[in-house]
Amino acid sequence: MAGRLLLVVLLGLLAPLALAAPNDPLSIPAITLGSNGQGQQEYSVSLQILLIMTALSFIPSLVIMMTSFTRIIIVFSLLRQAMGLQQTPSNQILIGLSLFLTLFIMGPVFDRINQEALQPYLAEKMTSREALQRAEEPLKDFMLAQTRSSDLDLFVRLSRRTDIAEPAAAPMSIVVPAFVTSELKTAFQIGFMLFIPFLIIDMVVASVLMAMGMMMLSPLIISLPFKIMLFVLVDGWALIMGTLASSFGTF
């Protein structure tokens, strides 16, 4: 349901569609009928098709940069490196798991977009421009809640804007890079905490092997089973997913 809603929201709000009201300035006919010099009728595709296809190409960037996906995939990647696993779980599994966890976390935001922007737009109660503005508000509220004030102030200063008195007044061109910067910081902080217990295991195993005179045996070969055992005993996947979900404060 969340995946279907995300697709409908992105397709319905990122480009002006043919369902827009007739008085909507963004409404452009997808196909126009005209006559050539010989009196024959020809169909021409307007610029709207190009705009829609361009908007579709930005969907992966929007999913990565404006949702919780960035933090989740970085934490999962750092966890795999901390355990010493090179290809397990595979990249496809980590990306799929991150995507569905993102849909779960962003569910309240997508529900709000559906109720406040998408459904009124499909019912022709507002124009596409108004729907875009309504859809922007939930995403901006989510991103501002996860953005550090120092990061937001940095991009406000870089933009040389002096008319932004509060975070809610910042445009998306400032909120998005500030949000991504904060997400990177948070993800690396969580990854640092994940590395500590596995690093301790590596140090203990390396010290034991050195004391036994087994210099030629790689400590990683011996420590890997202990890392996996520790991770399974503490129910690591449930702890990490629960921590990631609760870290966004949407529940």
Side-chain angles (χ1 to χ4, degrees), residues 72-203:
I72 296 172
I73 189 62
I74 291 178
V75 170
F76 284 162
S77 299
L78 291 177
L79 172 64
R80 185 172 64 179
Q81 294 182 13
M83 295 185 64
L85 301 172
Q86 301 299 325
Q87 299 295 331
T88 304
S90 63
N91 292 331
Q92 292 82 355
I93 294 177
L94 292 183
I95 293 175
L97 184 59
S98 301
L99 179 59
F100 280 98
L101 190 57
T102 298
L103 294 177
F104 174 75
I105 294 173
M106 300 294 295
V109 178
F110 293 149
D111 290 340
R112 184 180 167 189
I113 293 176
N114 181 50
Q115 296 174 3
E116 298 180 3
L118 181 59
Q119 293 304 323
Y121 173 71
L122 295 179
E124 299 184 359
K125 295 181 180 179
M126 64 176 60
T127 63
S128 58
R129 186 183 300 274
E130 294 173 344
L132 285 171
Q133 293 175 352
R134 291 284 187 88
E136 180 181 305
E137 294 177 1
L139 281 175
K140 180 183 286 188
D141 292 342
F142 171 80
M143 288 189 289
L144 288 176
Q146 311 301 325
T147 303
R148 294 175 174 83
S149 58
S150 59
D151 295 328
L152 186 62
D153 294 339
L154 169 64
F155 285 95
V156 170
R157 186 171 65 255
L158 292 176
S159 65
R160 298 181 180 180
R161 293 281 298 271
T162 59
D163 57 336
I164 301 176
E166 55 182 0
M172 294 295 285
S173 59
I174 294 178
V175 174
V176 173
F179 168 75
V180 174
T181 304
S182 294
E183 287 294 281
L184 291 174
K185 290 181 180 179
T186 304
F188 276 88
Q189 288 177 354
I190 298 175
F192 172 76
M193 299 301 296
L194 291 175
F195 261 92
I196 293 178
F198 299 114
L199 179 61
I200 293 175
I201 293 177
D202 287 334
M203 293 176 62

